[in-house]
Amino acid sequence: MINHSRIVGFALGLLGIATLMAGCSKAVSPATTTTIPATTTSPPTTATTTTVSTKTTVTPTTTAPASPYPNGEEGDKDFAVQSIQEHTEGLGAIGGTIRITNVGTKSYTVTFTVTFFATKTLSGQPLGYAQGSADRVAPGQTVTEALVSQNSAFTQTQYWYQFQVDTEMATTSSTATYPSGEIGDKDFAVKSLHVADDGQGDIGGTIRITNVGTQSYSVSFTVTFFATKTLSGQPLGYAQGSAEGVAPGQTVTETLVSPIPMFSRSNFYYEFQVDTEF
């Protein structure tokens, strides 16, 4: 026979043990805490830019600017100086001759001043100055002109100079042609030239010239003598002459006069230049 009271008691005992164990379990197990780490705000990323200096350093040049004159001559505006012969003009003032080339693209009538110095730097008090002019110089043409001055001639044999164009006026080039290919300038052609000592030790002689123009002219001219066919280098000297009222087609013979000592060369070349014609 089953004893129901004992079963109930046993069941209650088990229930009590289970309850006790549950209580112990709650007491021993630590509370579970979920810790949320604090949000750390990172600083914004900053892009680092390295600036490289781009400063441009220009190395100074030691090359002088190119000269506008074909062979590096002294010059001003459209004229380059080929040579200068300075000497007294016979009355105690600065005189001589200058050869200049028109390096421009037009024909010019020009006036100029040459100032002389004792130093290469062109500093200090000038030794003096002289002036000159040239009429209707064609592009590429080289002319020899007289230097005139009110300044007393200086005795220094070594000097330096400064060339300055004072006025430069564009003009019409001469259209004259020389019938037989003679040497000539403007409206006059050279037919022949005889050079000799004038009896006083200076350059002299005679020249025959023809008016190849279409009207009558009075003319003054310069003949410059050279040792080379290219008419380069320092001239041997020069002589001058003039003629009056030469009719078209007429040939005249004129005397050459010069303050320059006669040169000893028998073989020489010359340049003929009309200084004025009117």
Side-chain angles (χ1 to χ4, degrees), residues 7-41:
I7 294 173
V8 172
F10 179 72
L12 289 174
L14 290 175
L15 180 59
I17 293 170
T19 301
L20 180 60
M21 292 179 65
C24 292
S25 175
K26 287 182 179 179
V28 172
S29 298
T32 302
T33 304
T34 302
T35 303
I36 301 175
T39 301
T40 303
T41 303

Side-chain angles (χ1 to χ4, degrees), residues 180-249:
S180 304
E182 305 99 323
I183 292 174
D185 186 31
K186 297 182 175 65
D187 291 288
F188 285 85
V190 179
K191 309 304 289 187
S192 65
L193 176 70
H194 173 69
V195 180
D197 189 311
D198 67 350
Q200 298 180 351
D202 295 328
I203 298 172
T206 56
I207 186 172
R208 296 180 70 243
I209 56 174
T210 299
N211 180 351
V212 297
T214 58
Q215 64 185 67
S216 180
Y217 286 110
S218 289
V219 63
S220 64
F221 52 84
T222 298
V223 181
T224 307
F225 304 96
F226 297 88
T228 63
K229 192 173 184 179
T230 58
L231 308 183
S232 59
Q234 191 72 9
L236 298 171
Y238 71 91
Q240 295 174 310
S242 62
E244 293 185 6
V246 186

